Amino acid sequence: MMQFTCPHCGPRDQAEFIYERTVDAVVSLDAAPEDAMKSLFTRNNPRGVDEEIWRHTYGCRAWMVIARNRVTNEISATRAVGPEALP
Amino acid sequence: MSQYSAFGLLRGALNGQKHWQPAWRDPEPKSHYDIIIIGGGGHGLATAYYLAKVHGLKNIAVLEKGWIGGGNTGRNTTIVRSNYRLKPLHDLFEFGLKMWEHLSDELNYNVMFSPRGAMFLGHSDADMTKLAERGDAMRCDGIDADLMTRDEVQKLEPLLDMSRDARFPIEGGLIQRRGGTARHDAVAWGYARGADSLGVDIIQKCEVTGFVRDGDAVVGVETTRGRINAGRVGICVAGHSGHVAGLAGLKLPVESQTLQAMVTEGVKPMINSVIMSQSLHCYISQSDKGGIVFGGDPDNWPSYAQRGNPMVMERAVAQGLALVPALSRLRMVRTWSGVTDMSFDGAPIIGETPVKNLFLNGGWCYGGFKATPASGWTYAHTLATGKPHALNAPFALDRFERGATIDETGSGPMPNSR
Ligand SMILES: Cc1cc2nc3c(=O)[nH]c(=O)nc-3n(C[C@H](O)[C@H](O)[C@H](O)COP(=O)(O)OP(=O)(O)OC[C@H]3O[C@@H](n4cnc5c(N)ncnc54)[C@H](O)[C@@H]3O)c2cc1C
Ligand SMILES: [Zn+2]
């Protein structure tokens, strides 16, 4: 079982979060078709660290980016995304 | 290779069973093979077997980083069925199911295929409509399927909670009577023994760590036991597809996730068929040793951890207990998990890659055990000829960019929402 630290709510049980996709899998609105294809349908899927988008669905409902090692489950960074992360 | 038989067993009984020989050799890797298969699971071993048996190739190796059958082949809940909805899946899995029906004879090895019936439960009118649609689709393609009434379900599985105030009311079901279970280890061992006797080198404790390139072609592999040259190389590593293909610079339409399963202490027969609920994501069967085997959803986030999250296990157990309350009396003796390569449409990938001489068999998600014979048969064809077999042509790697996905559940390109 993992514990994530929500940038807004602090440390919370993983059960409150839902995994969405990796950062590089977000399709930008002006992406060329081949780039959109890659983002939609392929993943680096590393046996190591990747940057993942999770949502605190059963909490504050905010999105965040979590850098997580997929073998050890170690979390090396968490940052907020969206308007609330703007300066 | 000596044939296994009842007579041999009897003769062995008279001389203390001293006649048993190792079922396969433990050879040193040669410097060159015509075909190298990476991954000694059921699929890799079946591929090697059919390459030697059907295509007459002699110089083949299977490279396995651990021990054969130690991956998902040895971790799965062994449900064998062909009750899908879409035609390409019907064709592939039904071809496989027909092979299961003769596999023990073919391999002279008892894979304990037990066609006890694979039943989906329906919990609502909407569920029953979906099951009827699936059954119709199957029958149109010549696959057996019977819609069941509540009473028929209850007769087959008296321990299901059929009460009207059950947590998950049961309205009926859909059964494929030719579906069932098999013994996972025996499938790996049977194919290994068969392939070895046809001259295939099965090399364990040999991890592929890189590819040897000549321009845009793969001409060999780097391994923990040195470099080995090859004419063609076939990846067949299930949950590690993304990692191994990455060594050749490929980015695949798969994401690796953990899938868990568990088993209780052994008891007398209490579950007669394979009970599955697709609305709940729970499946229950009883092994021949008497343990109740069950599983649920994958852990729906990427992971290579090969250990499961208790939260997901708890959900599967809760569903199992709600369906069959008598299970609450049993002790769970083991839980485990495997790394599955979830593809972006839920269907497998079998075929060429953009890299010359490099082929891929993967993306089996949580459902490839049933396909082991068909996967081996078609992949062997592709590796021997360099071309797809009619059955695996729809499962090409480039189907995603062509818009030709095989999306059985219609849930779009999200491996974590299957
Ligand atoms: C818990 C669980 C339950 C399941 N239940 C079912 C079910 O009921 N019915 C069903 O049809 N399917 C089921 N599946 C799916 C099924 O197990 C798999 O799709 C199938 O067994 C895959 O077989 P395989 O031979 O491709 O992979 P594996 O058996 O995993 O073999 C791949 C092998 O490749 C090796 N390998 C990996 N990397 C390297 C490397 N770099 N070099 C050398 N070797 C390497 C691994 O060690 C492994 O032995 C389940 C899976 C799990 C995990
Ligand atoms: Zn929060």
Side-chain angles (χ1 to χ4, degrees):
Chain A
M1 199 86 145
M2 292 183 275
Q3 191 179 56
F4 295 151
T5 304
C6 171
H8 313 286
C9 314
R12 292 297 184 99
D13 191 298
Q14 184 205 340
E16 297 179 11
F17 296 79
I18 286 179
Y19 170 74
E20 170 62 26
R21 61 182 89 181
T22 48
V23 170
D24 62 345
V26 178
V27 189
S28 67
L29 292 177
D30 55 356
E34 53 276 19
D35 293 332
M37 209 297 293
K38 282 202 191 93
S39 290
L40 270 177
F41 288 109
T42 63
R43 296 288 189 270
N44 286 322
N45 195 23
R47 213 154 71 184
V49 180
D50 208 343
E51 288 213 307
E52 304 171 341
I53 303 172
W54 289 74
R55 189 178 190 198
H56 195 186
T57 312
Y58 304 107
C60 68
R61 314 189 87 192
W63 303 97
M64 65 208 65
V65 172
I66 295 180
R68 185 177 62 98
N69 185 310
R70 292 169 172 187
V71 181
T72 62
N73 281 332
E74 187 191 353
I75 293 163
S76 42
T78 305
R79 66 171 198 272
V81 294
E84 62 273 34
L86 295 175
Chain B
M1 179 180 82
S2 66
Q3 286 282 112
Y4 293 159
S5 65
F7 180 67
L9 264 182
L10 268 177
R11 201 177 40 204
L14 300 176
N15 70 4
Q17 301 288 356
K18 288 201 200 83
H19 65 295
W20 294 101
Q21 298 292 319
W24 52 84
R25 297 163 297 131
D26 182 20
E28 283 301 313
K30 289 193 256 176
S31 61
H32 172 90
Y33 291 95
D34 296 337
I35 297 183
I36 283 181
I37 295 159
I38 309 174
H43 289 218
L45 295 163
T47 304
Y49 175 77
Y50 294 118
L51 273 170
K53 173 98 192 266
V54 180
H55 301 277
L57 294 169
K58 293 284 165 259
N59 193 23
I60 307 167
V62 177
L63 309 183
E64 164 55 50
K65 76 171 171 173
W67 64 94
I68 59 168
N72 292 351
T73 298
R75 296 164 190 267
N76 83 98
T77 48
T78 78
I79 303 170
V80 174
R81 56 186 177 87
S82 63
N83 54 358
Y84 286 80
R85 195 171 61 86
L86 300 177
K87 177 96 169 65
L89 296 166
H90 283 166
D91 292 346
L92 183 68
F93 287 102
E94 177 61 14
F95 183 82
L97 184 54
K98 292 208 171 89
M99 292 174 81
W100 278 105
E101 287 164 351
H102 306 283
L103 196 56
S104 293
D105 283 342
E106 165 73 22
L107 298 177
N108 177 233
Y109 204 100
N110 188 359
V111 300
M112 296 171 75
F113 176 56
S114 160
R116 56 185 72 179
M119 173 174 65
F120 284 135
L121 296 177
H123 301 287
S124 62
D125 284 352
D127 264 13
M128 291 311 296
T129 307
K130 259 174 62 186
L131 291 182
E133 183 209 292
R134 180 189 289 256
D136 286 348
M138 289 165 63
R139 286 183 155 222
C140 286
D141 281 336
I143 302 174
D144 72 302
D146 290 306
L147 210 57
M148 300 168 85
T149 62
R150 249 174 75 83
D151 289 346
E152 286 165 336
V153 171
Q154 183 159 31
K155 200 162 162 227
L156 179 62
E157 296 294 356
L159 292 179
L160 282 171
D161 183 356
M162 303 295 291
S163 59
R164 277 300 176 190
D165 56 359
R167 172 70 184 83
F168 303 114
I170 294 167
E171 300 298 338
L174 179 76
I175 189 163
Q176 179 177 32
R177 294 187 203 281
R178 291 162 54 240
T181 59
R183 172 150 187 241
H184 45 17
D185 291 332
V187 175
W189 298 339
Y191 274 120
R193 174 169 167 268
D196 175 90
S197 77
L198 294 168
V200 172
D201 280 359
I202 298 170
I203 300 161
Q204 306 188 67
K205 296 190 195 133
C206 180
E207 176 169 358
V208 171
T209 54
F211 290 96
V212 185
R213 301 285 282 256
D214 180 7
D216 62 350
V218 158
V219 293
V221 292
E222 300 288 355
T223 79
T224 47
R225 292 173 71 170
R227 170 178 169 170
I228 311 175
N229 297 326
R232 284 183 177 146
V233 177
I235 301 174
C236 204
V237 295
H240 300 276
S241 298
H243 174 77
V244 173
L247 299 174
L250 297 174
K251 193 168 162 180
L252 296 185
V254 301
E255 196 158 64
S256 296
Q257 291 180 4
T258 295
L259 181 66
Q260 310 189 55
M262 44 223 123
V263 65
T264 71
E265 60 191 317
V267 288
K268 288 185 178 171
M270 63 181 282
I271 303 288
N272 302 312
S273 62
V274 178
I275 305 173
M276 292 170 286
S277 168
Q278 293 216 313
S279 303
L280 303 181
H281 294 285
C282 174
Y283 36 95
I284 310 171
S285 66
Q286 188 163 17
S287 80
D288 292 331
K289 279 197 293 186
I292 307 295
V293 181
F294 63 103
D297 268 331
D299 295 12
N300 284 334
W301 56 90
S303 174
Y304 286 94
Q306 209 158 272
R307 60 181 180 273
N309 187 309
M311 179 174 89
V312 178
M313 198 191 306
E314 192 178 5
R315 196 157 59 213
V317 172
Q319 293 178 353
L321 295 191
L323 291 173
V324 184
L327 291 179
S328 70
R329 291 287 170 268
L330 300 184
R331 274 169 298 198
M332 191 76 77
V333 290
R334 268 182 302 128
T335 74
W336 63 91
S337 65
V339 185
T340 58
D341 46 343
M342 301 295 294
S343 70
F344 278 53
D345 58 0
I349 301 160
I350 317 172
E352 310 165 78
T353 72
V355 179
K356 206 169 155 216
N357 300 341
L358 184 65
F359 296 79
L360 174 70
N361 180 328
W364 289 98
C365 305
Y366 38 69
F369 178 70
K370 61 177 81 65
T372 305
S375 165
W377 182 277
T378 55
Y379 199 31
H381 177 96
T382 298
L383 281 170
T385 63
K387 296 195 186 71
H389 185 279
L391 289 172
N392 66 306
F395 298 97
L397 176 60
D398 68 0
R399 69 176 181 267
F400 299 91
E401 61 204 64
R402 287 187 286 112
T405 56
I406 303 169
D407 193 350
E408 171 89 353
T409 55
S411 54
M414 296 301 286
N416 47 313
S417 64
R418 291 197 180 279

Coordinates of all heavy atoms in Angstrom, one line a residue, chain B residues 76-144:
Chain B
N76 N -0.9 -17.7 -13.1 CA -2.2 -17.3 -13.5 C -3.3 -18.3 -13.0 O -3.0 -19.3 -12.4 CB -2.3 -17.2 -15.1 CG -2.5 -18.5 -15.7 OD1 -3.6 -18.9 -16.1 ND2 -1.4 -19.3 -15.9
T77 N -4.5 -17.9 -13.1 CA -5.7 -18.7 -12.6 C -6.2 -19.7 -13.6 O -7.3 -20.2 -13.4 CB -6.8 -17.7 -12.1 OG1 -7.1 -16.8 -13.1 CG2 -6.4 -17.0 -10.9
T78 N -5.5 -19.9 -14.7 CA -5.7 -21.0 -15.6 C -7.0 -21.1 -16.3 O -7.4 -22.2 -16.7 CB -5.3 -22.3 -15.0 OG1 -6.4 -22.8 -14.2 CG2 -4.0 -22.3 -14.2
I79 N -7.7 -20.0 -16.4 CA -9.0 -20.1 -17.1 C -8.9 -20.1 -18.6 O -8.2 -19.3 -19.1 CB -10.0 -18.9 -16.7 CG1 -10.1 -18.9 -15.1 CG2 -11.3 -19.1 -17.3 CD1 -10.8 -17.7 -14.6
V80 N -9.5 -21.1 -19.2 CA -9.3 -21.3 -20.6 C -10.7 -21.2 -21.2 O -11.7 -21.9 -20.8 CB -8.8 -22.7 -20.9 CG1 -8.8 -23.0 -22.4 CG2 -7.4 -22.9 -20.4
R81 N -10.9 -20.3 -22.2 CA -12.2 -20.1 -22.8 C -12.1 -19.3 -24.1 O -11.0 -18.8 -24.4 CB -13.1 -19.3 -21.8 CG -12.4 -17.9 -21.4 CD -13.2 -17.2 -20.3 NE -12.5 -16.0 -19.9 CZ -12.6 -14.8 -20.5 NH1 -13.4 -14.6 -21.5 NH2 -11.9 -13.8 -20.1
S82 N -13.1 -19.3 -24.9 CA -13.0 -18.5 -26.1 C -14.3 -17.6 -26.3 O -14.7 -17.3 -27.4 CB -12.8 -19.4 -27.4 OG -14.0 -20.2 -27.5
N83 N -14.9 -17.2 -25.1 CA -16.2 -16.5 -25.1 C -16.0 -15.0 -25.3 O -16.5 -14.3 -24.4 CB -17.0 -16.9 -23.9 CG -16.2 -16.6 -22.6 OD1 -15.1 -16.2 -22.7 ND2 -16.8 -16.9 -21.5
Y84 N -15.4 -14.6 -26.4 CA -15.2 -13.2 -26.6 C -16.3 -12.7 -27.5 O -17.2 -13.4 -27.8 CB -13.8 -12.9 -27.2 CG -12.7 -13.1 -26.2 CD1 -12.2 -14.4 -25.9 CD2 -12.2 -12.0 -25.6 CE1 -11.2 -14.5 -24.9 CE2 -11.2 -12.1 -24.6 CZ -10.7 -13.4 -24.3 OH -9.7 -13.5 -23.4
R85 N -16.2 -11.4 -27.8 CA -17.3 -10.7 -28.6 C -16.9 -10.5 -30.0 O -17.7 -10.5 -30.9 CB -17.6 -9.4 -27.8 CG -18.9 -8.7 -28.2 CD -19.2 -7.6 -27.2 NE -18.1 -6.5 -27.3 CZ -18.1 -5.5 -28.2 NH1 -19.1 -5.4 -29.0 NH2 -17.1 -4.7 -28.2
L86 N -15.6 -10.1 -30.2 CA -15.2 -9.7 -31.6 C -14.6 -10.8 -32.4 O -13.9 -11.7 -31.8 CB -14.2 -8.5 -31.4 CG -14.7 -7.3 -30.7 CD1 -13.6 -6.3 -30.6 CD2 -15.9 -6.7 -31.5
K87 N -14.8 -10.8 -33.7 CA -14.4 -11.8 -34.6 C -12.9 -12.2 -34.5 O -12.6 -13.4 -34.4 CB -14.8 -11.4 -36.0 CG -14.4 -12.4 -37.1 CD -15.6 -13.3 -37.5 CE -15.4 -14.1 -38.7 NZ -14.3 -15.0 -38.7
P88 N -12.0 -11.2 -34.6 CA -10.6 -11.6 -34.6 C -10.2 -12.4 -33.3 O -9.4 -13.3 -33.3 CB -9.8 -10.3 -34.6 CG -10.8 -9.3 -35.1 CD -12.1 -9.8 -34.7
L89 N -10.9 -12.0 -32.2 CA -10.6 -12.7 -30.9 C -11.2 -14.1 -30.9 O -10.7 -15.1 -30.5 CB -11.1 -11.9 -29.7 CG -10.4 -10.5 -29.5 CD1 -11.2 -9.6 -28.6 CD2 -9.0 -10.7 -29.0
H90 N -12.4 -14.2 -31.5 CA -13.1 -15.5 -31.6 C -12.1 -16.5 -32.4 O -11.9 -17.6 -32.0 CB -14.4 -15.4 -32.5 CG -15.5 -14.9 -31.7 ND1 -16.7 -14.5 -32.4 CD2 -15.7 -14.7 -30.4 CE1 -17.5 -14.1 -31.4 NE2 -17.0 -14.2 -30.3
D91 N -11.7 -16.0 -33.5 CA -10.9 -16.8 -34.4 C -9.6 -17.3 -33.7 O -9.3 -18.5 -33.7 CB -10.5 -16.1 -35.7 CG -11.7 -15.8 -36.6 OD1 -12.8 -16.4 -36.3 OD2 -11.6 -15.0 -37.5
L92 N -8.9 -16.4 -33.0 CA -7.7 -16.8 -32.4 C -7.9 -17.7 -31.2 O -7.3 -18.8 -31.0 CB -6.9 -15.5 -31.9 CG -5.6 -15.8 -31.3 CD1 -4.6 -16.3 -32.3 CD2 -5.0 -14.5 -30.6
F93 N -8.8 -17.3 -30.3 CA -9.0 -18.1 -29.0 C -9.7 -19.4 -29.3 O -9.5 -20.4 -28.5 CB -9.7 -17.2 -28.0 CG -8.9 -16.1 -27.4 CD1 -9.0 -14.8 -27.8 CD2 -7.9 -16.5 -26.5 CE1 -8.1 -13.8 -27.3 CE2 -7.0 -15.5 -25.9 CZ -7.2 -14.2 -26.3
E94 N -10.6 -19.4 -30.3 CA -11.3 -20.7 -30.5 C -10.3 -21.7 -31.2 O -10.4 -22.9 -30.9 CB -12.5 -20.5 -31.4 CG -13.3 -21.7 -31.9 CD -13.9 -22.5 -30.7 OE1 -13.9 -22.0 -29.6 OE2 -14.3 -23.7 -31.0
F95 N -9.5 -21.2 -32.0 CA -8.4 -22.1 -32.6 C -7.6 -22.7 -31.4 O -7.3 -23.8 -31.4 CB -7.5 -21.2 -33.5 CG -6.4 -21.9 -34.2 CD1 -6.6 -22.6 -35.3 CD2 -5.1 -21.9 -33.7 CE1 -5.6 -23.3 -36.0 CE2 -4.1 -22.6 -34.3 CZ -4.3 -23.3 -35.5
G96 N -7.3 -21.8 -30.4 CA -6.6 -22.3 -29.3 C -7.4 -23.3 -28.4 O -6.8 -24.3 -28.0
L97 N -8.6 -23.0 -28.2 CA -9.4 -23.9 -27.4 C -9.5 -25.3 -28.1 O -9.4 -26.3 -27.4 CB -10.8 -23.3 -27.2 CG -11.8 -24.1 -26.3 CD1 -11.2 -24.4 -25.0 CD2 -13.1 -23.4 -26.2
K98 N -9.6 -25.3 -29.4 CA -9.6 -26.6 -30.1 C -8.3 -27.4 -29.9 O -8.2 -28.6 -29.8 CB -9.9 -26.4 -31.6 CG -11.3 -26.0 -31.9 CD -11.7 -26.4 -33.2 CE -13.2 -26.1 -33.4 NZ -13.5 -24.8 -34.0
M99 N -7.2 -26.6 -29.8 CA -5.9 -27.2 -29.5 C -5.8 -27.8 -28.1 O -5.2 -28.8 -27.8 CB -4.7 -26.2 -29.8 CG -4.6 -25.8 -31.2 SD -3.4 -24.5 -31.5 CE -1.8 -25.5 -31.4
W100 N -6.4 -27.0 -27.1 CA -6.4 -27.5 -25.7 C -7.0 -28.9 -25.6 O -6.6 -29.7 -24.8 CB -7.2 -26.6 -24.8 CG -6.4 -25.3 -24.4 CD1 -6.6 -24.1 -24.8 CD2 -5.4 -25.3 -23.4 NE1 -5.7 -23.2 -24.2 CE2 -5.0 -24.0 -23.3 CE3 -4.8 -26.3 -22.5 CZ2 -4.0 -23.6 -22.4 CZ3 -3.8 -25.9 -21.7 CH2 -3.4 -24.5 -21.6
E101 N -8.1 -29.1 -26.5 CA -8.8 -30.3 -26.3 C -8.0 -31.6 -26.6 O -8.3 -32.7 -26.3 CB -10.1 -30.2 -27.2 CG -11.1 -29.3 -26.6 CD -12.2 -28.8 -27.6 OE1 -12.1 -29.1 -28.8 OE2 -13.2 -28.2 -27.1
H102 N -6.8 -31.4 -27.4 CA -6.0 -32.5 -27.7 C -4.5 -32.3 -27.2 O -3.6 -33.1 -27.5 CB -5.9 -32.7 -29.2 CG -7.3 -32.8 -29.8 ND1 -8.0 -34.0 -29.7 CD2 -8.0 -31.9 -30.5 CE1 -9.2 -33.8 -30.3 NE2 -9.2 -32.6 -30.8
L103 N -4.3 -31.3 -26.3 CA -2.9 -30.9 -26.0 C -2.2 -32.0 -25.2 O -1.0 -32.2 -25.5 CB -2.9 -29.6 -25.2 CG -1.6 -28.9 -25.2 CD1 -1.0 -28.6 -26.5 CD2 -1.7 -27.5 -24.4
S104 N -2.9 -32.7 -24.3 CA -2.2 -33.7 -23.5 C -1.7 -34.8 -24.4 O -0.5 -35.3 -24.3 CB -3.1 -34.3 -22.5 OG -3.4 -33.3 -21.5
D105 N -2.5 -35.2 -25.4 CA -2.0 -36.2 -26.4 C -0.9 -35.7 -27.2 O 0.1 -36.4 -27.4 CB -3.2 -36.6 -27.3 CG -4.2 -37.5 -26.6 OD1 -3.8 -38.1 -25.5 OD2 -5.3 -37.6 -27.0
E106 N -1.1 -34.5 -27.7 CA -0.1 -33.9 -28.6 C 1.3 -33.9 -27.9 O 2.3 -34.2 -28.5 CB -0.5 -32.5 -29.0 CG 0.6 -31.6 -29.6 CD 1.0 -32.0 -31.0 OE1 0.1 -32.7 -31.7 OE2 2.1 -31.7 -31.5
L107 N 1.3 -33.5 -26.6 CA 2.6 -33.4 -25.9 C 3.0 -34.6 -25.1 O 4.1 -34.7 -24.6 CB 2.5 -32.2 -24.9 CG 2.2 -30.8 -25.5 CD1 2.1 -29.8 -24.4 CD2 3.4 -30.4 -26.5
N108 N 2.2 -35.6 -25.1 CA 2.4 -36.8 -24.2 C 2.7 -36.3 -22.8 O 3.6 -36.7 -22.1 CB 3.6 -37.7 -24.8 CG 3.9 -38.9 -23.9 OD1 5.0 -39.1 -23.5 ND2 2.9 -39.6 -23.5
Y109 N 1.9 -35.4 -22.4 CA 2.1 -34.8 -21.1 C 0.8 -34.3 -20.6 O 0.0 -33.6 -21.3 CB 3.1 -33.5 -21.2 CG 3.8 -33.2 -19.9 CD1 5.1 -33.6 -19.7 CD2 3.2 -32.5 -18.9 CE1 5.8 -33.3 -18.6 CE2 3.8 -32.2 -17.7 CZ 5.2 -32.6 -17.6 OH 5.8 -32.3 -16.4
N110 N 0.4 -34.7 -19.4 CA -1.0 -34.4 -18.9 C -1.1 -32.9 -18.5 O -0.6 -32.6 -17.4 CB -1.3 -35.3 -17.7 CG -2.8 -35.2 -17.4 OD1 -3.5 -34.4 -18.0 ND2 -3.2 -36.0 -16.4
V111 N -1.7 -32.1 -19.3 CA -1.9 -30.7 -18.9 C -3.2 -30.5 -18.1 O -3.5 -29.4 -17.8 CB -1.8 -29.7 -20.1 CG1 -0.5 -29.8 -20.9 CG2 -3.0 -30.0 -21.1
M112 N -3.8 -31.6 -17.8 CA -5.0 -31.6 -17.0 C -6.1 -30.5 -17.4 O -6.7 -29.9 -16.6 CB -4.6 -31.3 -15.5 CG -3.7 -32.4 -15.0 SD -3.0 -32.1 -13.4 CE -4.3 -32.3 -12.3
F113 N -6.3 -30.5 -18.8 CA -7.3 -29.6 -19.3 C -8.7 -30.1 -18.8 O -9.0 -31.3 -19.0 CB -7.3 -29.5 -20.8 CG -8.4 -28.7 -21.4 CD1 -8.6 -27.4 -20.9 CD2 -9.3 -29.2 -22.3 CE1 -9.6 -26.6 -21.4 CE2 -10.3 -28.4 -22.8 CZ -10.5 -27.1 -22.4
S114 N -9.4 -29.3 -18.2 CA -10.7 -29.7 -17.5 C -11.8 -28.8 -18.0 O -12.1 -27.8 -17.4 CB -10.5 -29.7 -16.0 OG -11.7 -29.6 -15.4
P115 N -12.5 -29.2 -19.1 CA -13.6 -28.4 -19.6 C -14.9 -28.5 -18.7 O -15.8 -29.2 -19.1 CB -13.9 -29.0 -21.0 CG -13.3 -30.4 -21.0 CD -12.3 -30.5 -19.9
R116 N -14.8 -27.8 -17.6 CA -15.9 -27.9 -16.6 C -17.0 -26.8 -16.8 O -17.9 -26.7 -16.1 CB -15.3 -27.8 -15.2 CG -14.5 -26.5 -15.1 CD -13.8 -26.5 -13.7 NE -12.7 -27.4 -13.6 CZ -11.9 -27.6 -12.6 NH1 -12.1 -26.8 -11.5 NH2 -10.9 -28.4 -12.5
G117 N -16.8 -26.0 -17.8 CA -17.7 -24.9 -18.1 C -17.2 -23.6 -17.5 O -16.8 -23.5 -16.4
A118 N -17.3 -22.5 -18.4 CA -16.9 -21.2 -17.9 C -18.1 -20.3 -18.0 O -18.7 -20.1 -19.1 CB -15.8 -20.6 -18.8
M119 N -18.6 -19.8 -16.8 CA -19.9 -19.2 -16.7 C -19.7 -17.7 -16.3 O -19.1 -17.4 -15.3 CB -20.7 -19.9 -15.7 CG -22.1 -19.2 -15.4 SD -23.2 -20.1 -14.4 CE -22.2 -20.2 -12.8
F120 N -20.3 -16.8 -17.1 CA -20.4 -15.4 -16.7 C -21.7 -15.2 -16.0 O -22.8 -15.7 -16.5 CB -20.4 -14.5 -17.9 CG -19.1 -14.3 -18.6 CD1 -19.0 -14.3 -20.0 CD2 -18.0 -14.0 -17.8 CE1 -17.8 -14.1 -20.6 CE2 -16.8 -13.8 -18.5 CZ -16.7 -13.9 -19.8
L121 N -21.7 -14.5 -14.9 CA -23.0 -14.2 -14.2 C -23.6 -12.9 -14.7 O -22.8 -12.0 -15.0 CB -22.7 -14.1 -12.7 CG -22.2 -15.3 -12.0 CD1 -22.0 -15.0 -10.5 CD2 -23.3 -16.5 -12.0
G122 N -24.9 -12.9 -14.8 CA -25.6 -11.6 -15.1 C -26.3 -11.1 -13.8 O -27.0 -11.9 -13.2
H123 N -26.1 -9.8 -13.5 CA -26.6 -9.3 -12.2 C -27.8 -8.4 -12.4 O -28.4 -7.8 -11.5 CB -25.6 -8.6 -11.5 CG -24.4 -9.5 -11.1 ND1 -24.4 -10.4 -10.2 CD2 -23.1 -9.5 -11.7 CE1 -23.3 -11.1 -10.1 NE2 -22.5 -10.5 -11.0
S124 N -28.2 -8.1 -13.7 CA -29.3 -7.1 -13.9 C -29.8 -7.4 -15.3 O -29.3 -8.2 -16.1 CB -28.7 -5.7 -13.9 OG -27.7 -5.6 -14.9
D125 N -30.9 -6.8 -15.7 CA -31.5 -6.9 -17.0 C -30.4 -6.5 -18.1 O -30.2 -7.1 -19.1 CB -32.7 -6.0 -17.2 CG -33.9 -6.7 -16.5 OD1 -33.8 -7.8 -16.1 OD2 -35.0 -6.0 -16.4
A126 N -29.7 -5.4 -17.7 CA -28.7 -4.9 -18.7 C -27.6 -5.9 -18.9 O -27.2 -6.1 -20.0 CB -28.2 -3.5 -18.2
D127 N -27.2 -6.5 -17.8 CA -26.2 -7.5 -17.9 C -26.6 -8.7 -18.8 O -25.9 -9.2 -19.6 CB -25.9 -8.2 -16.5 CG -24.7 -7.5 -15.8 OD1 -24.3 -6.5 -16.3 OD2 -24.3 -8.1 -14.8
M128 N -27.9 -9.1 -18.6 CA -28.4 -10.2 -19.4 C -28.5 -9.9 -20.9 O -28.2 -10.7 -21.7 CB -29.8 -10.7 -18.9 CG -29.8 -11.3 -17.5 SD -28.5 -12.6 -17.3 CE -29.1 -13.9 -18.5
T129 N -28.8 -8.6 -21.2 CA -28.8 -8.2 -22.6 C -27.4 -8.3 -23.2 O -27.2 -8.8 -24.3 CB -29.4 -6.7 -22.7 OG1 -30.6 -6.7 -22.0 CG2 -29.5 -6.3 -24.1
K130 N -26.4 -7.8 -22.4 CA -25.1 -7.9 -22.8 C -24.6 -9.3 -23.0 O -23.9 -9.6 -24.0 CB -24.1 -7.2 -21.8 CG -23.8 -5.8 -22.2 CD -23.0 -5.1 -21.1 CE -21.7 -5.7 -20.8 NZ -21.0 -5.0 -19.6
L131 N -25.0 -10.2 -22.1 CA -24.6 -11.6 -22.2 C -25.2 -12.2 -23.4 O -24.6 -13.0 -24.1 CB -24.9 -12.3 -20.9 CG -24.1 -12.0 -19.7 CD1 -24.5 -12.8 -18.5 CD2 -22.6 -12.1 -19.9
A132 N -26.5 -11.9 -23.7 CA -27.2 -12.5 -24.8 C -26.5 -12.0 -26.1 O -26.3 -12.8 -27.1 CB -28.7 -12.0 -24.8
E133 N -26.1 -10.8 -26.2 CA -25.5 -10.2 -27.3 C -24.1 -11.0 -27.6 O -23.8 -11.4 -28.7 CB -25.2 -8.7 -27.2 CG -24.6 -8.1 -28.4 CD -23.7 -6.9 -28.0 OE1 -24.3 -5.9 -27.5 OE2 -22.5 -6.9 -28.1
R134 N -23.4 -11.2 -26.5 CA -22.1 -11.9 -26.6 C -22.3 -13.3 -27.1 O -21.7 -13.8 -28.0 CB -21.4 -11.9 -25.2 CG -20.1 -12.6 -25.3 CD -19.5 -12.8 -23.9 NE -19.0 -11.5 -23.3 CZ -17.8 -11.2 -23.2 NH1 -16.8 -12.0 -23.6 NH2 -17.4 -10.0 -22.7
G135 N -23.3 -14.0 -26.4 CA -23.6 -15.4 -26.8 C -24.0 -15.5 -28.3 O -23.6 -16.4 -29.0
D136 N -24.8 -14.5 -28.8 CA -25.2 -14.5 -30.2 C -24.0 -14.4 -31.1 O -23.8 -15.1 -32.1 CB -26.2 -13.3 -30.5 CG -27.5 -13.6 -29.9 OD1 -27.8 -14.8 -29.6 OD2 -28.4 -12.7 -29.9
A137 N -23.1 -13.4 -30.7 CA -21.9 -13.2 -31.5 C -21.0 -14.5 -31.6 O -20.5 -14.8 -32.6 CB -21.1 -12.0 -30.9
M138 N -20.9 -15.2 -30.4 CA -20.2 -16.4 -30.4 C -20.8 -17.4 -31.3 O -20.1 -18.1 -32.1 CB -20.1 -16.9 -29.0 CG -19.2 -16.1 -28.1 SD -19.5 -16.5 -26.3 CE -18.9 -18.2 -26.2
R139 N -22.1 -17.6 -31.2 CA -22.8 -18.7 -32.0 C -22.7 -18.4 -33.5 O -22.5 -19.3 -34.3 CB -24.2 -18.8 -31.5 CG -24.3 -19.5 -30.2 CD -25.8 -19.7 -29.8 NE -25.9 -20.8 -28.9 CZ -26.8 -21.8 -29.0 NH1 -27.8 -21.7 -29.9 NH2 -26.8 -22.8 -28.2
C140 N -22.7 -17.1 -33.8 CA -22.6 -16.7 -35.2 C -21.2 -17.2 -35.8 O -21.1 -17.4 -37.0 CB -22.7 -15.2 -35.4 SG -24.4 -14.7 -35.3
D141 N -20.2 -17.2 -34.9 CA -18.9 -17.7 -35.3 C -18.7 -19.2 -35.0 O -17.5 -19.6 -34.9 CB -17.8 -16.8 -34.7 CG -17.7 -15.5 -35.4 OD1 -18.0 -15.4 -36.6 OD2 -17.2 -14.5 -34.8
G142 N -19.7 -19.9 -34.7 CA -19.6 -21.3 -34.5 C -19.0 -21.7 -33.1 O -18.5 -22.9 -33.0
I143 N -19.1 -20.9 -32.1 CA -18.6 -21.2 -30.8 C -19.8 -21.5 -29.9 O -20.8 -20.8 -29.9 CB -17.8 -20.0 -30.3 CG1 -16.6 -19.7 -31.2 CG2 -17.2 -20.3 -28.9 CD1 -15.8 -18.5 -30.8
D144 N -19.6 -22.5 -29.0 CA -20.8 -22.9 -28.1 C -21.0 -21.8 -27.1 O -20.1 -21.3 -26.5 CB -20.5 -24.2 -27.5 CG -19.4 -24.2 -26.4 OD1 -18.3 -23.7 -26.7 OD2 -19.7 -24.5 -25.2

